[in-house]
């Protein structure tokens, strides 16, 4: 169970991470903060490229940092993309990428945060209704 205090902390960290986004093409800054099951928090922002398809989303950046730090399971995710609009849900590629490291029951919460403190609470179960999970990556 994620406390409201932790949720708010993740949202604040996602927002802070979004400030470092490299977005000369879309001008759409996104930040993500992932809480690992061991208690660490890993952040990321989107990084665009002149070869547009090479752009990396904030969620995948946060997720690869989590893995590089030795954590393998996601306990909660906050995504902030709200400076220009409302709450930003993760793209399909990021859903699949994070799913690899979600909890078995897919109950880990995701918070899509917008400006003025607004946010939507969801879960992997809800955003990935027919999950493709070939194996669970514990290696
Ligand atoms: N973006 C993310 O960082 N996460 C998502 O889940 C959706 C899209 C970024 C990619 C690109 O830099 C910008 O938002 C516009 O698509």
């Amino acid at each position: 169970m994620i406390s409201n205090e932790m949720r708010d902390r993740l949202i604040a960290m996602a927002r802070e991470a979004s400030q470092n986004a490299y977005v000369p093409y879309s001008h759409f800054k996104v930040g993500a903060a992932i809480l690992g099951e061991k208690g660490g928090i890993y952040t990321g922002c989107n990084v665009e490229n002149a070869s547009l398809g090479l752009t990396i989303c904030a969620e995948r950046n946060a997720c690869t940092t989590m893995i590089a730090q030795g954590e393998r399971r996601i306990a909660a995710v906050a995504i902030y993309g709200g400076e220009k609009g409302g709450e930003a849900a993760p793209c399909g590629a990021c859903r699949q990428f994070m799913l690899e490291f979600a909890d078995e029951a897919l109950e880990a919460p995701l918070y899509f945060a917008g400006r003025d403190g607004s946010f939507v609470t969801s879960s992997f179960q809800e955003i990935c209704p027919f999950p493709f999970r070939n194996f669970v990556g514990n290696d």
Side-chain angles (χ1 to χ4, degrees), residues 1-2 10 34-37 66 73-78 98-99 101-112 120-128 133:
M1 194 61 194
I2 306 299
L10 291 171
I34 298 180
L35 173 68
E37 279 187 354
M66 179 190 86
R73 285 279 159 254
I74 293 174
V77 182
M98 292 190 288
L99 181 66
F101 309 107
D103 58 300
E104 197 72 19
L106 304 185
E107 282 168 350
L110 297 102
Y111 310 110
F112 315 142
V120 170
T121 302
S122 188
S123 66
F124 279 98
Q125 217 167 41
E126 192 173 43
I127 67 166
C128 303
R133 306 187 91 186

Side-chain angles (χ1 to χ4, degrees), residues 23 26 28 30 46 48 55-59 89-91 94:
V23 290
S26 75
F28 183 64
V30 184
N46 51 336
E48 300 185 342
T55 292
I56 307 175
C57 294
E59 299 90 322
C91 77
C94 287

Side-chain angles (χ1 to χ4, degrees), residues 11-12 17 20 22 27 31 40 43 49 56-57 64 72-74 78 80 90 95 98-99 105 110 112 117 134 138-139:
I11 290 173
N20 291 328
Y22 175 73
H27 306 289
T43 61
N49 191 273
I56 307 175
C57 294
T64 54
R72 289 292 185 269
R73 285 279 159 254
I74 293 174
Y80 183 86
R95 291 178 197 210
M98 292 190 288
L99 181 66
L110 297 102
F112 315 142
N134 221 4
N138 277 321
D139 292 343

